[in-house]
Amino acid sequence: MKTKLLKIKELPIILILIVISIIISVANPAFMTLENFLDILKSNLVLAIMSMGMLMVMLTGGIDVSVSSVITAVAVITGYSLMHWSSNLLFTILVAVLSGTVMGLFNGLLIAKLKIPPIVATLGTMSVILGLVLYITNGTWMTGIPEKFIDFGRKKLITFPTGDGKALGIPIQFLFLLVAVLATWFILRKTVIGRGIYAIGGNRDSAERMGFKPDRIIIFVYAFEGFLIGLAAVAHTSIMRQVDPNAFLGFEMQVIAAVVLGGASVLGGYGSILGTLIGVSLFCVINNGLILMHIPTFWQKIVVGLIIIGSISIDMTQKKRTERNKTRVDVE
Amino acid sequence: MGQTLIELKNISKTFPGVKALENIGFSIDSGEIHALIGENGAGKSTLIKILSGVYQPDSGGQIILGGRVVESLTPLEALQSEIAVIYQDFSLFPNLSVMENIALEQSVKNNDNLVDWKAMERISRDALDQLGISLDLNTILGDLSIAKQQLVAIARSLANNARLLILDEPTSSLSKNEVRKLFDIMHSLKNKGMALLFISHKIDELFAISDKFTILRDGKYIGTYGEDELDDEQLISLMVGRKIEYTIYPKNKRTEPLLEVRGFSKKGNFRDINFTLHKGEILGLTGLVGAGRTEVAQAIFGLNPADEGTLLLDGKEIINSTPNDAVKAGFSFVPENRLQEGLVLSKSIEDNISLTMLDALSGKSSLINLKKRKELTRNWMEKMDIRPNIPEMITSKLSGGNQQRVVISKWLATDPKVLIVDEPTNGIDIGAKSGIHQLLRDLAEKGLGIIIISSELPEILAIADRVAVMRRGRIITEFFCENITQEDIMSKAL
Amino acid sequence: MKPELKRRLKSKEAVLFLIFVVIFVFMSILSPTRFLSLYNLQSMAYQLPEFGILALSMMIVIITGGINLSVTYTATLAMIIGGFAMSHMFAGGSSAGLSVLVGIILMLAGSLACGAFNGYVIAYIGVTPMLATLGAMTFFEGISLQVTRGGAISGFPIEFIKIGNTAVLGIPVPMIIFLFVLATVYLFLERSRMGATLYMIGSNPKVTRYSGINVRKNLFITYLIASLLAGIAGILMASRYNSAKESYGSSYLLQAVSAAVLGGTSIAGGEGKVIGTVIAVLIIQVISSGLNIIGLNRYLTNVVMGLILIVVLTINFLTREKQFRNN
Amino acid sequence: SSDKGSDELTIVVMPKLVGIPYFNASEVGAMQAGKDLGVNVIYTGPTTADAAEQVRMLEDLISKGVDAICVAPNDAAALTPVLMKAKSAGIAVLDWDTPADPNVVDLSIHQIDDKQYGEHIWDLLVEGMGDTGDYAIITGGLSAANLNSWIDAGLDYAKKTYPGLNLVTERIPSDEKQQVAYQKTLDLIKAYPNLKGVVGISTPAPLGAAQAVEEKGLSDVITVVGTSLPTDSGPYLADGSLKVGTLWDPSKLGYLTVVMAADFLKGNKPVDGQMVENVGKISVWPDGRTVIMGPPADFTKENYKTFNF
Ligand SMILES: Nc1ncnc2c1ncn2[C@@H]1O[C@H](COP(=O)(O)OP(=O)(O)OP(=O)(O)O)[C@@H](O)[C@H]1O
Ligand SMILES: Nc1ncnc2c1ncn2[C@@H]1O[C@H](COP(=O)(O)OP(=O)(O)OP(=O)(O)O)[C@@H](O)[C@H]1O
Ligand SMILES: [Mg+2]
Ligand SMILES: [Mg+2]
């Protein structure tokens, strides 16, 4: 058991997360409170959901920089649907995941069928989708989301009473994250396609020789990512209660950074759900800690940059050391 | 012999500028071990890729499979027709576990939607048990040595219960012992009625195991013969069109020391390695796979620096902490794994050969002299007989043997003092092999010191002056190669 | 010779050049008096260099299999460091010439420092370029903000402003600098020893290392050179904009990546031609200026750019397929 | 305007960026003015608040040949060279919303006096939380010049007038996003338990702050004020989490800009106290070229429904 624990690939990054958490909570005990964790959870749900999709994409050796534009487009469509079609929750979710899936499918087709490198294909779709959305909406906020939907967004799953009479609760949107994580886990771990995703990332030619259909798998992955983005858009809209077409500018970098921080390889084949969730957590905790630790505004970016580089450097050095000291021969 | 399992008629395959196969036709019966032989680039691997559906043959040919006539196969059809292949490049997944590498194919073949981990474990354990080896099923494949990876590839095809098992040079990085084990397995599979199509460049192996030989030359079908219809010489002359045998070279007298390795140790790799390489000498380094020979060679070359010990070149101490240092000091190193360590596969022959020569090709200006570069490439391509003779050819499209020649060229081009070659004739046909032996001998004559790592003892005995035997990270003994036999060496290595 | 010529005419770069010509002609027809005016041509020649140099900088890094997300913040951090010194010296009574000289030297030095930071983290520690430069981007931006407190640094001597805003014989000085940079980068990448090494590193770093090449050193120098180019772009921007600020040119980041890949550089590394990137930069410039003059909504311009990216790569794919089938 | 052949005037109005609510509202006003006055208005700007992009676009517009350029610079100094070029090409140069280099502009259209505006916001804060206690500032971006000038004015004013106010930490950037402002406010509430006020500068910032305060059930404890559009901030004003929003009508600013540009091209100078149709009475500084539109409007729970921007 002990050795198994030590063998976990994610160990260094887990340790970094723990160390940083300890430092923050020493500086400010308010960090280690249920309330703070719930706040972190709620404000980073969307990032976490999207990181699941990005993980899958990166496992195939791809990358998707269009996620921010896709979620913007889906949020706008969802908002429109809520205000003009129906405020029914299931219907809303359906609209969102459908439109997300369609956009993901489009990316997948460009990448699988036209063999356009993922970063380029998604750069292209990013310009096109975001350009169209902003042209159509002109960046105007969509306010006036139906109360029914907003009320749904305020619901709590489980509530914990606190001493001062207030009640804390797990936000209802946590369900979306749960669905995303479980679905991703199920696909990656339990389905043949899921193993195919790893196989393509490891050695595409061999995967093809083995009978996998890489094109189909890639299309599936991007479509599924779109599906998750649909969920993320609903969660986001229910939290923010309006749709701002500019809300996600530059968000793709955060998603990618969190996934890579969590140990996924940009070359494909390597990466895990646990690692990704830890990468996301590290990201959130750092951001959360900045204000809690009273770090002055003008130092914050310097600190964040150094922490990102520092933690990944520690991780890297660690890996190199294990690699160098690996036993290759049973010496007499 | 059993009945015909698969029949090929008129199979041709053309690549841009290369006619790799021309009207090939022969058949394979169940319950036979059928050897496919030919020089490097004869088209063996291509033929196999057609059988397994990776390549589509030119139209006009026929593949008759269990009475069904088709023009071509897809990978899935091939799998479902129970054709399993161990490719020259293994086709494994470095990021997946041993278990999945062995058993995932089953799920794909069965069109499963869900993974049955329990079944996977059972299948892969069975396959490994059949091979008589024990490996941790959850190890990530990339962490294994090449030899173990090859065993995994074999286990995978066993797991497939194939009716036709194709093995493209499966023994190239196995030691004698493991080869013997593999042959036992092949025999028992044959006795169960399976057909095996087997490719190897090692003549003794071919005769040890094959029932039939099909010979290809330059993409053309030469003939199929029973094992009793041919002897080595005939086989070789059919294959290359001339007579060739291992030349046993006269051994050198000792000259002055060139390279001295003193007390090299590295935890988990090797311990207390001492030997001296003389000018003009070829020193063989042998032992079982996993004895640590590659690790020692890499340590000398600065790839895997030793924890302790010293290195003397021409009596002066040097420190090779990176390959860059080593090359500057006059070392060359032909690595054992040409696909991952030897060649930049996506680049041309020219780019690869000139990679080690960039300094020499660019004068003070730092700009590369393109004319000189072309010349250099042409020279080496001729010298090493690299085919096809197109410097711009991307090396991933070369046959395995020709790839190896490119790697050797790039290292000989640097005009080294010490040349370390790790399994240099791996996958090279017998004709070319003797060419390489000749070349190494000539270089030694000129005063070069050469360390050759090889699991093929006849090769060591043929060209080395001296041989050091390694076992579990240590040098056990040294022999002069004049009056010893393979058995003398094996008894020490085990 | 003939097949060589034929091959060149069929190359990616030739196709791209054709696309450029088509777009240029199209814009000229849409707006003959304005787009095709001498003034506009000159104006495009003022605009293009800073972006062109950033695209080349990005391309060099992509060829080694990396990416540099901190490229624009390298340029701005460099201009802020140099600009800070320059404006203070000038305000403190130093001669304009000396202030400009010191300023420029510091800008180049600043960019080299950024390059050394990235290079060290990537080459010696071994952090994935994407993550390393993402961290560096935040880090550099942080330092810039810390220095400027969010404002702009201005008060440069007019001599400095002139670098980016004068023309010699009708050719803008930035354009002359760009041509010089272009020639140097071409010689460096496609003709020099180190350039050849970079392509090999981009294709397969392990094999390159096994070939006795000091991969780390080469990578380190690559980031130095790429950052130096960013520094030069920074000088041009600071001079053209008469000030230095941390956010200048931030929209160039993704555009630079697009230009490199549009120009045929393989994002996986190991492949790419300088001329391709240059043509791509020209295409982007012409579309941007042309559509702006015609008065198309700025967002639709982005849509057009995205479509062109997709279309060009699709054409590349289809021609490759066709060649493959014909053979 | 050589292609036109007619003598219709062409006026460019360039915001800091297009596609955000504030500048969309200005666009409406500017286009309306164009219609009313019979001039041709081009409203275009970069898609991100990047000065470099603005310069490039201005260069193209000079090539295009227009009569007047009215620009809201992302950075004043950065635009000086290109605006000088415009001038030497015979184009009238105006700034609006945010001042450009005063040496190159013919007219400067301000919605408001920056100093007064900053002070006004702090007055609103004190009205809500009293003149003692902890407060924080959430701004759109650290390098947005006009936001900074309001904050700086407000801070100066608070130092003198409300010494009891305690700013807990430097201004915190929110990248012009409500989501980020929301997140930062949550963190602020935990980091500074005695927080009594939040000032949100830039339109999404007060809303994000209000949302966080409302969710934590602290509407009665923490006063949120700031610059926001009345329509977007409606729900927060209604539930009391946002005490007051204050802003001018951006469409009027757009309208006024075009009117001033057209007047200038026709040779008319603005005069103090001049009545501009659809805008109101304007004031002009003694320099004769700085035009101030007028005081901002405050939006509260009671009155927000009466505004339409
Ligand atoms: N994808 C390809 N594109 C172009 N030519 C190819 C390709 N694959 C193989 N060839 C060519 O086809 C010929 C046959 O190659 P093949 O790999 O079948 O040889 P082989 O008999 O397996 O040789 P070896 O023993 O060296 O492995 C060679 O000339 C090779 O260069
Ligand atoms: N120049 C290089 N470029 C890329 N990877 C390298 C390089 N050198 C070493 N590595 C990788 O680092 C790991 C350790 O290699 P090696 O033992 O040669 O390192 P080293 O030179 O001893 O390291 P250090 O200089 O940090 O002590 C290996 O995984 C190797 O692939
Ligand atoms: Mg072969
Ligand atoms: Mg070995």
Side-chain angles (χ1 to χ4, degrees):
Chain A
M1 189 59 217
K2 207 170 169 189
T3 50
K4 209 171 167 192
L5 206 65
L6 286 176
K7 264 198 207 151
I8 295 178
K9 297 182 299 296
E10 292 86 3
L11 194 65
I13 191 96
I14 293 180
L15 290 178
I16 292 168
L17 177 62
I18 293 176
V19 169
I20 291 183
S21 304
I22 292 176
I23 294 175
I24 300 175
S25 49
V26 167
N28 189 341
F31 174 78
M32 278 287 173
T33 55
L34 181 64
E35 176 176 11
N36 190 40
F37 287 140
L38 290 174
D39 284 348
I40 295 182
L41 177 66
K42 185 164 179 187
S43 36
N44 293 288
L45 270 163
V46 172
L47 177 67
I49 296 174
M50 287 169 73
S51 72
M52 290 292 111
M54 186 66 82
L55 167 67
M56 266 207 203
V57 165
M58 292 185 82
L59 281 174
T60 64
I63 194 164
D64 187 352
V65 295
S66 73
V67 284
S68 52
S69 61
V70 173
I71 191 173
T72 305
V74 176
V76 167
I77 294 172
T78 311
Y80 187 87
S81 152
L82 274 169
M83 292 184 328
H84 297 96
W85 295 337
S86 155
S87 60
N88 179 294
L89 182 65
L90 282 180
F91 178 78
T92 308
I93 294 177
L94 199 69
V95 167
V97 296
L98 261 180
S99 46
T101 308
V102 167
M103 285 181 252
L105 212 56
F106 182 69
N107 272 331
L109 286 172
L110 288 180
I111 291 160
K113 291 296 174 196
L114 296 181
K115 304 279 178 282
I116 301 181
I119 191 170
V120 193
T122 53
L123 256 174
T125 41
M126 173 172 93
S127 299
V128 173
I129 294 180
L130 195 65
L132 284 176
V133 169
L134 287 172
Y135 175 68
I136 293 166
T137 63
N138 213 351
T140 310
W141 285 21
M142 302 170 91
T143 47
I145 303 279
E147 274 307 316
K148 194 174 147 201
F149 185 71
I150 292 180
D151 284 344
F152 158 76
R154 289 176 196 264
K155 285 208 179 78
K156 304 269 190 257
L157 276 182
I158 308 170
T159 45
F160 312 95
T162 55
D164 51 5
K166 281 187 285 184
L168 299 173
I170 297 178
I172 186 90
Q173 291 84 359
F174 178 69
L175 279 181
F176 291 82
L177 176 58
L178 205 63
V179 168
V181 172
L182 287 179
T184 310
W185 176 80
F186 181 79
I187 291 173
L188 284 181
R189 187 70 197 158
K190 294 282 175 190
T191 68
V192 174
I193 286 192
R195 300 322 287 174
I197 292 172
Y198 278 96
I200 297 180
N203 188 340
R204 191 186 157 129
D205 288 342
S206 309
E208 198 158 358
R209 285 178 197 173
M210 200 192 245
F212 280 118
K213 302 232 161 43
D215 284 359
R216 281 196 208 166
I217 295 183
I218 285 175
I219 293 172
F220 167 78
V221 164
Y222 284 89
F224 180 73
E225 192 202 21
F227 171 86
L228 291 184
I229 292 177
L231 290 184
V234 177
H236 175 80
T237 310
S238 73
I239 294 174
M240 297 313 292
R241 304 171 213 159
Q242 45 78 356
V243 177
D244 170 8
N246 285 300
F248 287 98
L249 285 183
F251 194 65
E252 68 278 356
M253 282 304 163
Q254 282 184 43
V255 182
I256 293 169
V259 176
V260 183
L261 206 55
S265 157
V266 274
L267 301 175
Y270 297 90
S272 65
I273 293 180
L274 177 64
T276 303
L277 289 176
I278 291 173
V280 173
S281 311
L282 190 57
F283 216 81
C284 310
V285 164
I286 295 172
N287 271 322
N288 177 252
L290 290 174
I291 292 181
L292 288 188
M293 290 177 76
H294 300 196
I295 294 175
T297 301
F298 286 101
W299 284 101
Q300 289 186 355
K301 290 218 164 191
I302 298 181
V303 172
V304 172
L306 287 178
I307 292 183
I308 291 179
I309 293 176
S311 38
I312 204 78
S313 296
I314 293 171
D315 192 27
M316 206 57 224
T317 315
Q318 197 56 40
K319 280 193 187 129
K320 262 196 194 167
R321 184 174 308 155
T322 356
E323 176 64 24
R324 203 160 39 227
N325 295 334
K326 199 163 84 181
T327 301
R328 307 183 216 199
V329 177
D330 311 314
V331 181
E332 257 180 18
Chain B
M1 290 290 136
Q3 73 247 84
T4 304
L5 181 70
I6 187 167
E7 192 177 350
L8 302 177
K9 279 186 182 163
N10 266 329
I11 296 294
S12 300
K13 175 74 189 173
T14 321
F15 291 112
V18 191
K19 187 115 191 152
L21 292 174
E22 243 180 296
N23 298 332
I24 306 296
F26 67 97
S27 58
I28 304 168
D29 298 339
S30 17
E32 76 177 7
I33 298 182
H34 196 125
L36 186 61
I37 51 189
E39 285 182 285
N40 292 135
K44 305 179 295 293
S45 300
T46 307
L47 186 63
I48 283 177
K49 286 181 185 159
I50 286 173
L51 282 177
S52 58
V54 174
Y55 289 158
Q56 311 301 306
D58 302 347
S59 57
Q62 285 183 345
I63 301 171
I64 304 166
L65 222 165
R68 212 161 57 91
V69 183
V70 290
E71 273 219 343
S72 64
L73 293 166
T74 67
L76 200 59
E77 280 168 2
L79 272 180
Q80 283 161 345
S81 318
E82 297 175 349
I83 299 176
V85 190
I86 301 174
Y87 291 94
Q88 206 164 359
D89 58 7
F90 303 166
S91 274
L92 294 172
F93 301 97
N95 58 331
L96 297 183
S97 65
V98 168
M99 172 166 44
E100 283 187 273
N101 268 289
I102 296 175
L104 188 57
E105 193 161 352
Q106 298 301 309
S107 313
V108 182
K109 197 166 105 180
N110 301 338
N111 268 326
D112 286 350
N113 287 322
L114 296 184
V115 188
D116 182 348
W117 289 97
K118 287 232 176 67
M120 278 229 250
E121 186 168 349
R122 204 184 52 240
I123 293 169
S124 48
R125 189 164 306 288
D126 283 355
L128 288 174
D129 284 349
Q130 274 191 61
L131 278 172
I133 46 175
S134 62
L135 278 176
D136 178 1
L137 289 181
N138 291 314
T139 313
I140 299 299
L141 184 95
D143 292 344
L144 296 179
S145 68
I146 289 283
K148 286 193 177 143
Q149 292 189 18
Q150 191 153 31
L151 291 173
V152 172
I154 295 169
R156 174 166 81 180
S157 45
L158 288 183
N160 262 316
N161 292 320
R163 284 198 290 162
L164 171 62
L165 173 60
I166 304 176
L167 304 100
D168 195 353
E169 300 196 38
T171 60
S172 55
S173 39
L174 296 188
S175 62
K176 265 248 139 39
N177 240 8
E178 286 157 325
V179 170
R180 210 171 298 141
K181 234 188 252 168
L182 174 65
F183 283 0
D184 289 344
I185 294 164
M186 287 171 66
H187 264 295
S188 68
L189 292 176
K190 165 184 152 177
N191 292 336
K192 283 187 202 155
M194 190 191 277
L196 294 102
L197 184 64
F198 174 66
I199 298 179
S200 170
H201 288 293
K202 299 178 183 167
I203 302 293
D204 51 339
E205 284 180 2
L206 289 168
F207 276 97
I209 186 119
S210 317
D211 302 313
K212 271 193 199 160
F213 303 102
T214 288
I215 302 173
L216 300 183
R217 195 196 304 155
D218 290 335
K220 294 192 195 70
Y221 175 71
I222 300 295
T224 302
Y225 305 87
E227 51 140 1
D228 42 0
E229 291 174 61
L230 286 176
D231 63 17
D232 321 13
E233 274 179 35
Q234 286 168 315
L235 182 99
I236 293 168
S237 66
L238 281 171
M239 199 166 99
V240 291
R242 65 201 146 97
K243 272 177 86 166
I244 285 170
E245 55 192 20
Y246 267 153
T247 317
I248 306 289
Y249 292 90
K251 305 307 176 192
N252 267 335
K253 290 187 290 292
R254 286 204 148 186
T255 57
E256 58 206 283
L258 174 65
L259 175 76
E260 294 165 64
V261 177
R262 297 278 164 261
F264 255 42
S265 295
K266 183 178 170 88
K267 195 166 165 279
N269 286 256
F270 44 79
R271 210 170 86 210
D272 199 26
I273 302 291
N274 290 287
F275 65 82
T276 304
L277 176 70
H278 298 82
K279 284 198 176 129
E281 184 185 42
I282 299 185
L283 172 67
L285 197 54
T286 191
L288 299 181
V289 166
R293 300 161 306 168
T294 299
E295 284 71 18
V296 169
Q298 289 185 340
I300 296 173
F301 193 64
L303 279 163
N304 178 31
D307 300 336
E308 47 190 282
T310 49
L311 205 57
L312 301 171
L313 186 68
D314 288 326
K316 276 187 291 264
E317 183 173 343
I318 56 163
I319 297 172
N320 287 346
S321 51
T322 65
N324 189 242
D325 297 339
V327 170
K328 279 189 194 142
F331 289 78
S332 275
F333 176 61
V334 176
E336 65 180 332
N337 184 347
R338 65 173 166 264
L339 296 174
Q340 280 167 31
E341 298 162 351
L343 281 179
V344 179
L345 289 167
S346 58
K347 291 285 170 189
S348 66
I349 299 176
E350 179 167 25
D351 286 332
N352 273 286
I353 291 185
S354 56
L355 179 56
T356 51
M357 293 297 290
L358 293 172
D359 281 335
L361 289 174
S362 50
K364 265 200 214 116
S365 65
S366 285
L367 294 189
I368 293 175
N369 183 332
L370 297 179
K371 217 175 105 203
K372 239 163 107 185
R373 179 161 108 158
K374 195 117 274 165
E375 240 165 61
L376 174 94
T377 317
R378 289 227 172 272
N379 276 344
W380 281 102
M381 288 186 70
E382 247 155 62
K383 213 176 208 166
M384 300 294 294
D385 193 20
I386 294 169
R387 276 181 277 183
N389 193 352
I390 308 169
E392 293 81 22
M393 181 105 164
I394 301 299
T395 49
S396 63
K397 296 186 174 166
L398 292 176
S399 79
N402 280 301
Q403 289 176 338
Q404 184 71 0
R405 293 175 206 207
V406 175
V407 181
I408 295 177
S409 304
K410 99 176 182 194
W411 280 117
L412 290 184
T414 62
D415 196 12
K417 280 189 199 162
V418 178
L419 172 65
I420 307 173
V421 288
D422 196 351
E423 308 282 2
T425 56
N426 203 341
I428 292 207
D429 68 56
I430 177 98
K433 206 178 261 184
S434 68
I436 287 173
H437 290 167
Q438 180 67 49
L439 191 81
L440 292 177
R441 248 2 280 191
D442 289 350
L443 290 166
E445 287 312 318
K446 286 189 201 137
L448 213 76
I450 299 175
I451 299 174
I452 176 169
I453 299 174
S454 174
S455 310
E456 210 178 326
L457 293 176
E459 174 169 87
I460 296 262
L461 292 178
I463 67 162
D465 299 301
R466 234 165 7 114
V467 56
V469 183
M470 282 190 75
R471 188 175 71 199
R472 297 177 66 190
R474 310 194 59 171
I475 291 188
I476 298 300
T477 185
E478 276 185 26
F479 292 110
F480 283 94
C481 282
E482 253 146 341
N483 299 311
I484 56 159
T485 61
Q486 295 191 32
E487 284 67 35
D488 295 336
I489 297 178
M490 281 314 288
S491 66
K492 295 288 178 189
L494 286 176
Chain C
M1 200 58 233
K2 252 199 171 157
E4 170 70 11
L5 192 71
K6 225 171 147 185
R7 201 172 53 81
R8 286 218 175 156
L9 285 178
K10 276 189 180 167
S11 69
K12 280 196 273 198
E13 289 75 26
V15 174
L16 204 61
F17 188 71
L18 195 73
I19 292 172
F20 166 68
V21 171
V22 169
I23 292 174
F24 192 90
V25 169
F26 179 73
M27 293 296 175
S28 306
I29 293 173
L30 275 186
S31 173
T33 51
R34 289 158 180 175
F35 181 79
L36 214 49
S37 68
L38 187 65
Y39 186 92
N40 184 49
L41 294 180
Q42 204 186 32
S43 147
M44 288 197 290
Y46 271 113
Q47 294 178 40
L48 178 139
E50 57 196 44
F51 170 49
I53 294 174
L54 287 175
L56 287 174
S57 163
M58 185 63 83
M59 172 198 185
I60 296 178
V61 172
I62 293 181
I63 280 179
T64 65
I67 193 159
N68 185 0
L69 301 178
S70 68
V71 69
T72 58
Y73 286 101
T74 298
T76 50
L77 179 54
M79 69 165 93
I80 284 170
I81 293 171
F84 189 78
M86 178 160 48
S87 59
H88 274 74
M89 277 179 72
F90 190 55
S94 298
S95 77
L98 185 67
S99 321
V100 171
L101 189 70
V102 170
I104 289 182
I105 289 174
L106 281 180
M107 287 184 191
L108 295 177
S111 66
L112 283 175
C114 295
F117 181 83
N118 275 327
Y120 183 79
V121 174
I122 292 165
Y124 288 97
I125 302 183
V127 177
T128 331
M130 185 173 298
L131 203 54
T133 55
L134 190 82
M137 162 173 136
T138 317
F139 179 51
F140 297 163
E141 189 189 356
I143 300 179
S144 300
L145 279 173
Q146 180 67 24
V147 175
T148 62
R149 298 260 137 184
I153 292 179
S154 51
F156 301 154
I158 190 74
E159 284 74 5
F160 181 72
I161 310 302
K162 276 191 179 152
I163 299 174
N165 294 294
T166 22
V168 177
L169 300 175
I171 306 172
V173 173
M175 191 39 122
I176 296 171
I177 295 175
F178 176 63
L179 291 175
F180 175 75
V181 168
L182 171 64
T184 315
V185 170
Y186 167 75
L187 286 177
F188 168 71
L189 263 187
E190 297 189 26
R191 293 297 317 282
S192 85
R193 177 178 52 189
M194 186 169 160
T197 314
L198 298 190
Y199 283 92
M200 298 306 260
I201 293 175
S203 304
N204 189 332
K206 185 169 185 187
V207 171
T208 312
R209 187 167 81 104
Y210 270 64
S211 303
I213 283 168
N214 192 334
V215 172
R216 293 174 173 179
K217 192 173 96 190
N218 277 287
L219 272 183
F220 183 75
I221 297 175
T222 302
Y223 282 90
L224 280 187
I225 292 177
S227 298
L228 189 68
L229 292 185
I232 295 174
I235 294 174
L236 290 183
M237 282 196 265
S239 155
R240 265 168 51 74
Y241 306 146
N242 182 28
S243 55
K245 191 175 179 182
E246 114 286 346
S247 59
Y248 284 174
S250 48
S251 45
Y252 287 143
L253 171 61
L254 288 181
Q255 283 185 40
V257 178
S258 305
V261 270
L262 186 61
T265 304
S266 154
I267 197 77
E271 239 177 273
K273 288 219 158 66
V274 171
I275 185 70
T277 305
V278 173
I279 300 174
V281 166
L282 287 172
I283 290 180
I284 293 177
Q285 180 64 53
V286 166
I287 293 178
S288 165
S289 288
L291 295 183
N292 199 9
I293 288 178
I294 292 164
L296 192 73
N297 177 292
R298 223 32 206 169
Y299 283 114
L300 291 183
T301 307
N302 283 359
V303 174
V304 173
M305 297 264 194
L307 285 177
I308 291 211
L309 196 62
I310 294 173
V311 167
V312 168
L313 285 152
T314 307
I315 292 177
N316 279 351
F317 168 72
L318 293 177
T319 40
R320 235 184 306 137
E321 281 282 279
K322 204 172 134 213
Q323 272 168 11
F324 196 72
R325 244 180 284 131
N326 284 355
N327 276 312
Chain D
S1 61
S2 47
D3 270 7
K4 276 265 144 41
S6 81
D7 48 349
E8 190 176 277
L9 295 171
T10 300
I11 296 170
V12 171
V13 180
M14 181 177 287
K16 290 180 177 179
L17 74 164
V18 291
I20 66 166
Y22 175 82
F23 284 116
N24 286 338
S26 318
E27 178 175 12
V28 174
M31 300 315 281
Q32 186 57 46
K35 226 184 265 165
D36 293 354
L37 303 178
V39 295
N40 182 23
V41 172
I42 299 174
Y43 190 92
T44 185
T47 52
T48 56
D50 182 8
E53 193 64 28
Q54 265 186 324
V55 171
R56 291 162 68 102
M57 294 189 70
L58 286 173
E59 304 235 12
D60 295 335
L61 289 163
I62 297 171
S63 300
K64 183 181 173 84
V66 297
D67 299 299
I69 287 175
C70 315
V71 61
N74 279 303
D75 186 78
L79 266 66
T80 306
V82 73
L83 292 180
M84 273 166 26
K85 264 192 208 174
K87 264 189 129 166
S88 56
I91 299 171
V93 174
L94 289 81
D95 67 41
W96 67 285
D97 183 72
T98 305
D101 181 349
N103 298 317
V104 292
V105 291
D106 297 308
L107 276 184
S108 193
I109 318 297
H110 292 205
Q111 54 276 29
I112 191 169
D113 182 87
D114 287 343
K115 191 161 164 288
Q116 281 174 15
Y117 189 52
E119 294 175 355
H120 178 65
I121 296 170
W122 260 252
D123 284 336
L124 292 176
L125 176 71
V126 167
E127 230 168 78
M129 70 176 268
D131 63 1
T132 48
D134 288 355
Y135 77 105
I137 304 168
I138 296 193
T139 175
L142 293 175
S143 53
N146 56 342
L147 306 189
N148 281 338
S149 64
W150 302 334
I151 296 172
D152 292 340
L155 289 174
D156 265 353
Y157 174 67
K159 209 185 273 167
K160 281 177 249 139
T161 324
Y162 304 119
L165 283 184
N166 172 37
L167 180 63
V168 292
T169 182
E170 283 167 290
R171 66 201 74 172
I172 292 179
S174 64
D175 305 342
E176 299 281 350
K177 290 173 192 156
Q178 182 181 342
Q179 155 80 21
V180 179
Y182 162 74
Q183 219 163 312
K184 297 288 176 195
T185 309
L186 286 180
D187 295 345
L188 282 169
I189 292 172
K190 278 167 300 208
Y192 305 98
N194 299 324
L195 202 69
K196 278 172 68 189
V198 178
V199 178
I201 308 284
S202 103
T203 45
L207 309 190
Q211 186 187 356
V213 165
E214 186 267 338
E215 256 184 40
K216 291 277 153 199
L218 296 171
S219 301
D220 298 333
V221 183
I222 298 179
T223 300
V224 181
V225 300
T227 59
S228 62
L229 291 165
T231 39
D232 293 344
S233 48
Y236 302 98
L237 288 167
D239 69 23
S241 53
L242 178 63
K243 287 279 148 20
V244 195
T246 174
L247 205 69
W248 51 92
D249 182 345
S251 73
K252 278 192 189 165
L253 182 62
Y255 196 96
L256 175 65
T257 303
V258 171
V259 172
M260 288 292 119
D263 274 1
F264 181 80
L265 289 173
K266 289 175 193 143
N268 304 330
K269 296 249 147 99
V271 284
D272 196 21
Q274 180 182 340
M275 187 66 202
V276 178
E277 207 172 326
N278 293 330
V279 176
K281 211 193 255 174
I282 59 169
S283 47
V284 178
W285 282 6
D287 65 3
R289 61 177 187 195
T290 307
V291 178
I292 309 276
M293 185 168 78
D298 293 344
F299 326 117
T300 58
K301 191 189 233 160
E302 290 75 32
N303 75 357
Y304 76 89
K305 287 202 177 110
T306 60
F307 297 90
N308 62 349
F309 58 98

